[in-house]
Amino acid sequence: MNKKIAVIKGDGIGPEVVGEAVKVLDTVAKKFGHSFEYDYQLMGGCSIDACGEPLTDDAIAHCKSADAVLLGSIGGNTTTSPWYKLPSDKRPEAGLLKLRKSLGLFANLRPALLYKELASACPLKTEISSKGFDMLIMRELTGGLYFGERETKEIDGVVTAKDTLTYNENEIRRIAIKAFEVARKRCKKVTSVDKANVLDSSRLWRKVTEEVAKDYPDVTLEHMLVDNSAMQLVKDPAQFDVVLTENMFGDILSDEASMITGSIGMLPSASLNETTFGLYEPSGGSAPDIAGQNKANPIATILSASMLLRYSFDMQKEADAIENAVQKVLEEGYRTCDIYSEGTSLVACDQMGKLICDRI
Ligand code: IPM
Ligand code: MG
């Protein structure tokens, strides 16, 4: 197959981890007889520096004309970087939000699973981690607080800031359907996370989710309040299969879920619209503190490339080949510093990429 992939390296560790993911894609292309063409685009701080804005319309058009988008990470140190002196709609993150919105990527899939080889990197007690876990967070990505009306103004001499959380029933229904569809292919359980004891938007979320559940009698639906979910994630993560939630709750819970897998450097993500088009990125950030040092863990980005093959190109055996190679490298004891523990072999970012390529 011939496919065009828009590639956004971004900021911080982005260029390093994307570089390794592209090598992995090239290895897959060679082995399975495909041809991938890469269309490199700028977004985030690097685009601010080069073009004066975090995402240009031209870059959006290039992403739209590709078959899928692979992204590293964007942003810098929020206290020291000059990018954060800019108004909020000109900062690196604004580029990512604009891209998600312009591509209609409302469904963000963030799988969090504990590899048994990394159980010692899991910060939870052994009695909890020994049970293992394998969940998928289905985060709504184009609504809620991230895209609601906001303003900061002085009211009676007092500076006041306002953000609004809005969802309509259609936005809730389409993401709930995605969650139930995915749950059907997994362990057939959806935990819908909300704050229905306080928020109107959450009460609507519950109502619509229950309506959707009627079409999936084979899938169990349970509701859980977000504060309780945060607690359950560290108390008994094995109880979760698909976690369905709105944008902001999903942002927070997915960082928590990723940390209990041992490292945020292990978690891929896919952002999808109604078609097979998608944007694939690691769940973690740009880690400016270790950028340029060849220390970052490229596995989350490599696994994002594998999700890209699976969801956008329907290349199942190619995706399996990448995932098996990652599993093998972990079994053989190779670790980047974020997942290193005594008795394992410490490797750099590019070495990890090569080890994975060699096992495909
Ligand atoms: C994420 C990130 C983004 C988000 C930031 C960079 C805007 O934290 O993808 O989880 O909040 O969605
Ligand atoms: Mg986040």
Side-chain angles (χ1 to χ4, degrees):
M1 261 193 242
N2 289 343
K3 294 282 184 190
K4 187 154 103 190
I5 305 173
V7 180
I8 301 173
K9 293 182 185 171
D11 307 314
I13 58 170
E16 297 159 63
V17 292
V18 166
E20 298 315 309
V22 168
K23 282 184 210 160
V24 167
L25 284 170
D26 282 339
T27 308
V28 166
K30 203 162 163 207
K31 167 147 189 198
F32 293 89
H34 302 299
S35 133
F36 299 143
E37 182 197 329
Y38 307 107
D39 179 6
Y40 287 92
Q41 296 299 320
L42 294 178
M43 184 172 78
C46 55
S47 174
I48 297 175
D49 293 344
C51 316
E53 50 180 318
L55 180 70
T56 62
D57 290 339
D58 183 59
I60 298 177
H62 276 264
C63 291
K64 276 190 179 158
S65 74
D67 297 304
V69 184
L70 179 68
L71 164 67
S73 51
I74 51 120
N77 184 313
T78 50
T79 41
T80 56
S81 163
W83 299 328
Y84 296 92
K85 301 243 170 355
L86 297 166
S88 61
D89 61 335
K90 297 272 178 281
R91 293 181 191 175
E93 286 72 10
L96 180 58
L97 301 187
K98 189 172 165 194
L99 188 65
R100 287 173 178 168
K101 194 73 172 181
S102 357
L103 301 176
L105 306 170
F106 66 89
N108 184 215
L109 285 67
R110 299 191 162 181
L113 98 124
L114 184 65
Y115 287 87
K116 68 176 188 316
E117 292 77 15
L118 295 187
S120 61
C122 171
L124 302 178
K125 284 192 197 140
T126 319
E127 65 218 60
I128 301 173
S129 62
S130 62
K131 285 203 261 165
F133 58 85
D134 180 354
M135 72 186 89
L136 183 132
I137 298 189
M138 178 68 77
R139 169 188 176 196
E140 201 291 327
L141 203 59
T142 51
L145 278 167
Y146 278 65
F147 295 95
E149 270 171 43
R150 63 175 105 254
E151 71 174 342
T152 304
K153 68 174 181 193
E154 226 173 86
I155 302 177
D156 299 331
V158 183
V159 181
T160 307
K162 176 178 83 178
D163 296 284
T164 50
L165 201 179
T166 307
Y167 273 106
N168 68 41
E169 55 179 316
N170 299 334
E171 291 170 313
I172 302 169
R173 191 167 296 109
R174 65 182 182 179
I175 187 77
I177 291 172
K178 284 261 187 205
F180 280 93
E181 287 291 333
V182 168
R184 237 180 201 168
K185 297 190 193 132
R186 296 175 45 103
C187 298
K188 301 189 166 48
K189 180 177 172 190
V190 171
T191 305
S192 175
V193 171
D194 61 39
K195 188 69 185 171
N197 52 347
V198 179
L199 303 175
D200 259 32
S201 55
S202 283
R203 286 187 276 269
L204 181 63
W205 187 277
R206 247 181 217 217
K207 179 171 170 279
V208 175
T209 308
E210 272 166 18
E211 285 164 16
V212 172
K214 291 197 185 113
D215 295 331
Y216 298 85
D218 51 325
V219 178
T220 309
L221 168 67
E222 68 171 16
H223 301 287
M224 196 181 276
L225 295 174
V226 64
D227 45 354
N228 184 29
S229 309
M231 182 180 83
Q232 295 298 332
L233 266 177
V234 289
K235 193 170 161 232
D236 179 19
Q239 70 183 287
F240 296 108
D241 178 24
V242 175
V243 177
L244 163 66
T245 192
E246 65 89 45
N247 206 345
M248 178 69 112
F249 297 160
D251 179 46
I252 299 167
L253 293 180
S254 63
D255 266 29
E256 190 185 356
S258 71
M259 195 53 224
I260 58 171
T261 68
S263 167
I264 196 162
M266 291 297 298
L267 268 91
S269 86
S271 305
L272 309 173
N273 60 20
E274 310 277 11
T275 72
T276 58
F277 181 85
L279 166 90
Y280 300 83
E281 59 177 312
S283 289
S286 60
D289 51 323
I290 56 160
Q293 298 172 35
N294 197 17
K295 267 190 191 167
N297 184 347
I299 293 181
T301 316
I302 290 170
L303 291 173
S304 301
S306 143
M307 288 184 95
L308 182 157
L309 299 181
R310 207 181 277 295
Y311 290 94
S312 284
F313 300 171
D314 195 23
M315 295 182 181
Q316 307 304 333
K317 57 181 191 313
E318 292 83 343
D320 288 345
I322 298 179
E323 285 160 27
N324 292 337
V326 168
Q327 176 74 41
K328 221 155 167 216
V329 164
L330 294 175
E331 276 165 20
E332 290 170 30
Y334 295 106
R335 304 281 188 270
T336 41
C337 59
D338 56 318
I339 48 175
Y340 175 78
S341 58
E342 235 182 74
T344 60
S345 320
L346 183 65
V347 295
C349 177
D350 59 353
Q351 287 170 308
M352 182 57 99
K354 179 162 191 314
L355 286 162
I356 293 169
C357 287
D358 291 347
R359 280 152 190 77
I360 286 172

